[in-house]
Amino acid sequence: MNAMNTHYPDPVRVEPVNRRTLAVIVDNEPGVLARIAGLFSGRGYNIESLTVSETEHARHISRITIVTAGTNAVIDQIKAQLDRLVPVHRVVDLTLQGDSLERELCLVKVAGRGDHRVEAMRLAAAFGARTLDATLTSFVFELTGATEEVDRFVNLMAAVGLVEVSRTGVAAMGRGPDPM
């Protein structure tokens, strides 16, 4: 029984789930990405977006940008566990660091004729998408922007003949002159 001598259990405290963008600096060696992905999957955490690239060729250093969601306690646990992995040099929560820039690149293939073709071109122009390929029956557009903007573009293109979508995932960096 709880403090008030009742048989009802204490109310469950529900914490808000927050979306976080983490930048992880690691050694560029075989198996590092698998270990990081295994850390997430082994604990039941989801990765919403994942981008990886070597950033310092001479030192064999890569940057992994991970977008995930969880309570503050879960995010703190993820960061602490990432920090403990041997090939990890630094883990920075870009969301907490302040105002950061996030962009995503997507390629969108749209097929259609007549009014659908005209509408696809109009929407692409409104979003500032570049036309990479054009045939008499299809287009491939390139759009770079925030994840929400890319989502809106893809959803609108679904109505005019969306065929295929390829997205890079989020690339993020903090503003200002200081490194992470």
Side-chain angles (χ1 to χ4, degrees):
M1 284 198 279
N2 61 22
M4 294 182 61
N5 293 329
T6 178
H7 292 288
Y8 294 106
D10 289 330
V12 177
R13 196 175 75 174
V14 178
E15 292 187 46
V17 173
N18 302 311
R19 179 181 178 271
R20 296 289 185 85
T21 303
L22 306 176
V24 185
I25 304 299
V26 299
D27 289 331
N28 186 14
E29 58 187 37
V32 172
L33 182 58
R35 290 176 65 191
I36 288 174
L39 184 147
F40 276 80
S41 67
R43 289 157 182 83
Y45 304 144
N46 188 39
I47 296 174
E48 293 179 11
S49 173
L50 176 72
T51 57
V52 184
S53 184
E54 186 173 61
T55 56
E56 295 181 43
H57 186 68
R59 293 180 48 210
H60 301 289
I61 301 291
S62 289
R63 180 180 179 131
I64 300 174
T65 305
I66 303 169
V67 177
T68 190
T71 63
N72 288 338
V74 166
I75 298 297
D76 289 342
Q77 184 179 16
I78 289 171
K79 291 189 297 189
Q81 290 171 348
L82 283 171
D83 243 341
R84 278 188 249 143
L85 291 176
V86 172
V88 173
H89 294 274
R90 257 186 335 274
V91 178
V92 176
D93 188 339
L94 292 173
T95 310
L96 290 182
Q97 191 180 36
D99 199 18
S100 62
L101 301 169
E102 292 186 9
R103 292 295 180 265
E104 188 174 352
L105 168 71
C106 83
L107 302 176
V108 177
K109 185 183 290 186
V110 178
R113 293 180 177 269
D115 290 342
H116 287 288
R117 184 175 174 80
V118 172
E119 185 64 11
M121 286 297 291
R122 190 186 68 72
L123 287 169
F127 277 84
R130 283 186 30 198
T131 304
L132 298 180
D133 183 56
T135 68
L136 294 175
T137 58
S138 69
F139 292 105
V140 175
F141 298 111
E142 172 189 54
L143 178 67
T144 302
T147 300
E148 297 78 22
E149 181 182 1
V150 171
D151 288 340
R152 280 196 326 270
F153 182 68
V154 169
N155 290 335
L156 288 171
M157 285 298 179
V160 294
L162 180 68
V163 174
E164 185 178 354
V165 177
S166 178
R167 295 172 76 155
T168 61
V170 174
M173 184 175 285
R175 292 182 185 265
D178 299 327
M180 67 171 237

